[in-house]
Amino acid sequence: RCLSSRDFREVHLVEDSQGAWRIFKISRQRDADSLVRFQQVRETLKGIASETGLIPVLDYGLEPVHGLGWEELPLADSVDSGSVDFAHYTPVTPVVGRDITSSGSVKIALSVLQALEFLHRQGWVHGDVKPANLLQLQGRWLLGDYDTVGVVGAEGVVTASTEGYCPPGGGNTPERDLFALGKLIYELWS
């Protein structure tokens, strides 16, 4: 089942050969450099522990001739607790404006900060920190969606960013992510 589709990517809910549900994401890369970046990011995140604050990449692959990259991700917690309903699956994300407690907001913020610390130590900027890219996996908030991850200080524009979460002037710097984290915290506590 296709969960979302945009110009450059599709996200599908699939069942693997052992009967476990997974997320399968296919991304069209703009050029050879983007395909290399896709591979570098996924290789680092393949099999990482959720203690990093990031959704782990279970597997990934490339189809260079067509400029495609794919990744397999674990299924995030569903808004409907219990077994996954293929037809109605929706992942848990923080809903801004809902009753999120102060302690819940702190847990989310600390998890995102941990994820950003990991990425920044690798020399990367996430580039799109926002509520929709935060998912619960086994009750823990994790940052996902690596399509906008870029090299710190690299020339050019991050491939995408959500309006309002990008600082004036943008740029591929850790400050970009910290600005977005500040906006996220503000929205969660407002």
Side-chain angles (χ1 to χ4, degrees), residues 24-27 38 42 59-62 68-72:
F24 190 79
K25 186 173 177 181
I26 304 166
S27 302
F38 177 95
R42 274 48 177 204
D59 202 2
Y60 76 94
L62 303 171
L68 297 175
W70 61 267
E71 61 190 312
E72 182 183 347

Side-chain angles (χ1 to χ4, degrees), residues 120 124-127 150-154 158 167 170-178:
H120 296 166
W124 296 329
V125 176
H126 184 276
V151 176
V152 170
V158 174
N172 289 339
T173 65
E175 290 78 13
R176 176 190 193 101
D177 286 340
L178 297 177

Side-chain angles (χ1 to χ4, degrees), residues 133-151:
N133 287 339
L134 295 170
L135 303 166
Q136 267 192 350
L137 183 63
Q138 300 172 347
R140 183 182 170 107
W141 289 106
L142 302 175
L143 181 61
D145 194 352
Y146 309 122
D147 294 335
T148 58
V149 172
V151 176

Side-chain angles (χ1 to χ4, degrees), residues 39-183:
Q39 182 177 16
Q40 291 170 336
V41 171
R42 274 48 177 204
E43 186 61 32
T44 298
L45 300 179
K46 186 175 177 181
I48 61 166
S50 62
E51 286 73 31
T52 60
L54 294 161
I55 297 278
V57 173
L58 301 175
D59 202 2
Y60 76 94
L62 303 171
E63 176 52 55
V65 172
H66 296 102
L68 297 175
W70 61 267
E71 61 190 312
E72 182 183 347
L73 305 163
L75 188 69
D77 298 348
S78 175
V79 294
D80 299 320
S81 56
S83 63
V84 174
D85 176 6
F86 181 79
H88 300 101
Y89 169 76
T90 303
V92 175
T93 59
V95 180
V96 174
R98 288 253 174 101
D99 294 329
I100 298 176
T101 64
S102 294
S103 65
S105 295
V106 168
K107 284 180 184 176
I108 292 171
L110 289 174
S111 184
V112 173
L113 193 57
Q114 188 174 28
L116 295 178
E117 179 184 28
F118 178 86
L119 289 172
H120 296 166
R121 275 189 279 125
Q122 305 301 315
W124 296 329
V125 176
H126 184 276
D128 201 19
V129 176
K130 63 182 180 181
N133 287 339
L134 295 170
L135 303 166
Q136 267 192 350
L137 183 63
Q138 300 172 347
R140 183 182 170 107
W141 289 106
L142 302 175
L143 181 61
D145 194 352
Y146 309 122
D147 294 335
T148 58
V149 172
V151 176
V152 170
E155 293 297 319
V157 182
V158 174
T159 55
S161 191
T162 302
E163 188 175 338
Y165 291 89
C166 184
N172 289 339
T173 65
E175 290 78 13
R176 176 190 193 101
D177 286 340
L178 297 177
F179 180 91
L181 174 60
K183 169 99 182 209

Side-chain angles (χ1 to χ4, degrees), residues 14-34:
V14 297
E15 188 175 7
D16 70 15
S17 60
Q18 286 86 33
W21 294 102
R22 300 279 189 241
I23 299 298
F24 190 79
K25 186 173 177 181
I26 304 166
S27 302
R28 181 171 305 283
Q29 304 302 309
R30 294 185 318 252
D31 52 38
D33 290 341
S34 297

